[in-house]
Amino acid sequence: MFELKQRVVFALNKLADRDTYQIGVEELEKTVECLNPDGVTPFLSCILDTDSEQKSAVRKECIRLMGLLVTLHEGVIGSHLGKMVASIVKRLKDPDSVVMDACVETVGVLASKLSNDRGENDGAFVVLVKPLFEALGEQNKQVQFGAALCLARAIDNTTNPPVSILQRMLARTNKVLKNPHFMAKPAVIELNRSIIMAGGAPTQSILSAALSSIQEALKNSDWTARKAASLSLGEIASSGGTYFSSFKASCIRSLESCRFDKVKPVRDTVLQSLRLWRSLPEPDTHEPSEAGSSIKGLPACLPLLMC
């Protein structure tokens, strides 16, 4: 194991030099490919120990390597998931945007691979999203932004995420969007879009509240929030078919109010979203189904999630 750690440290040092960066990447990828189950723990200890004093290339690759590790050795990663997510949450404070991008990508990989195990999906999903959801409460715009984007990617990449947990998340994020002191509303709008499209708003009343919170963001003084809201509404319309038809009129009215926004990227996304909502069929007399009645109940170990 000492030889493995030494090999990993040497390869990590190569990442810090532009001339040897690619060599270091290839050596680390080869090491991950050849790991046996006993080597997972010492390998993780090396890549989780990186700190802010190391070059951004090293910090980024250490995050990315977690995704590769799960991809190649998903059967032995479950017990290490908590430590990996904690490291990702810590890295959300990184000043380099490429590190945050790597965090979002890696969370997506973790979600897609770990959700393949249906027997433990709910538990793994909670281990993955709970620390990220808690990070939304930090008074740091970058952390809030990164946590919301990671959560959105986790939900997008999870096969049938637990709807009862999504509903709890949605109730909290709707409140967050109304909080004038919350600093990362564009990212939370994207998170709400993910929750809605994953089935986290299974009744008309829940869906109405969720869409209203996004519509309200179209009035935000921050143009990036207005753009995020119009983009999310368009994506929701493009995915829902008749399920969202009963909200067609209200969404079109909200978007129409932004057609002449002073910021061109907002105007462009509003026009695209309007086209998508107008293409939906007219509503019929049926309400969206109570999909929540057929989902799995919340495991006993989860009541503290989102409390």
Side-chain angles (χ1 to χ4, degrees):
M1 293 307 159
F2 173 77
E3 180 184 349
L4 171 62
K5 285 190 172 184
Q6 189 175 49
R7 189 163 69 249
V8 173
V9 170
F10 285 161
L12 289 173
N13 289 337
K14 292 177 183 177
L15 297 177
D17 189 320
R18 186 177 301 176
D19 294 334
T20 57
Y21 171 81
Q22 191 57 41
I23 296 173
V25 169
E26 292 171 359
E27 289 181 358
L28 287 164
E29 289 178 349
K30 185 66 175 178
T31 298
V32 174
E33 290 175 10
C34 298
L35 277 179
N36 58 43
D38 292 336
V40 170
T41 297
F43 179 83
L44 271 175
S45 70
C46 291
I47 65 173
L48 296 180
D49 282 344
T50 55
D51 56 46
S52 58
E53 295 181 0
Q54 292 176 299
K55 295 285 185 69
S56 63
V58 179
R59 304 194 303 270
K60 179 194 77 172
E61 284 302 322
C62 285
I63 295 295
R64 190 186 67 84
L65 285 167
M66 292 186 212
L68 181 62
L69 186 65
V70 172
T71 299
L72 298 177
H73 304 282
E74 60 182 283
V76 295
I77 291 300
S79 61
H80 303 285
L81 181 59
K83 291 184 293 184
M84 296 166 72
V85 177
S87 179
I88 290 171
V89 171
K90 179 183 176 182
R91 284 281 155 244
L92 294 179
K93 297 179 181 178
D94 199 292
D96 197 318
S97 61
V98 300
V99 177
M100 182 187 291
D101 291 343
C103 289
V104 175
E105 291 296 326
T106 298
V107 166
V109 173
L110 294 176
S112 64
K113 293 299 177 181
L114 294 172
S115 66
N116 288 335
D117 186 348
R118 300 305 305 156
E120 299 180 359
N121 183 43
D122 289 9
F125 183 77
V126 172
V127 173
L128 181 59
V129 303
K130 185 176 180 181
L132 292 165
F133 200 88
E134 291 172 345
L136 286 177
E138 293 199 22
Q139 296 304 305
N140 180 306
K141 182 177 182 179
Q142 185 171 305
V143 173
Q144 291 177 354
F145 214 98
L149 292 179
C150 284
L151 285 164
R153 187 64 61 89
I155 293 167
D156 288 343
N157 286 28
T158 297
T159 303
N160 298 323
V163 176
S164 49
I165 296 176
L166 296 183
Q167 286 182 245
R168 291 182 177 211
M169 294 173 68
L170 186 59
R172 292 287 299 276
T173 53
N174 283 341
K175 292 179 181 178
V176 161
L177 286 179
K178 296 176 183 178
N179 183 345
H181 304 296
F182 189 79
M183 297 172 279
K185 290 186 178 179
V188 171
I189 292 167
E190 170 69 7
L191 172 55
N192 275 13
R193 189 274 311 159
S194 293
I195 294 173
I196 292 169
M197 292 175 63
T203 69
Q204 189 168 29
S205 59
I206 296 173
L207 181 57
S208 178
L211 288 176
S212 293
S213 70
I214 297 177
Q215 291 170 342
E216 190 65 26
L218 290 170
K219 305 173 187 176
N220 198 287
S221 59
D222 178 1
W223 73 267
T224 60
R226 300 196 302 274
K227 180 184 176 184
S230 57
L231 184 62
S232 292
L233 287 173
E235 292 182 1
I236 290 167
S238 69
S239 70
T242 58
Y243 183 75
F244 297 111
S245 291
S246 58
F247 301 97
K248 178 177 178 177
S250 65
C251 286
I252 288 177
R253 280 196 303 272
S254 297
L255 289 164
E256 284 281 5
S257 69
C258 295
R259 279 189 65 189
F260 303 106
D261 195 283
K262 61 184 178 180
V263 180
K264 187 177 185 300
V266 178
R267 293 197 303 272
D268 291 343
T269 55
V270 165
L271 289 173
Q272 177 63 22
S273 295
L274 276 169
R275 284 194 290 269
L276 291 167
W277 277 98
R278 285 170 177 158
S279 69
L280 288 184
E282 292 301 322
D284 56 26
T285 57
H286 299 291
E287 294 186 356
S289 63
E290 298 283 334
S293 62
S294 62
I295 60 173
K296 290 184 288 185
L298 202 62
C301 61
L302 306 186
L304 295 180
L305 183 65
M306 318 310 171
C307 290

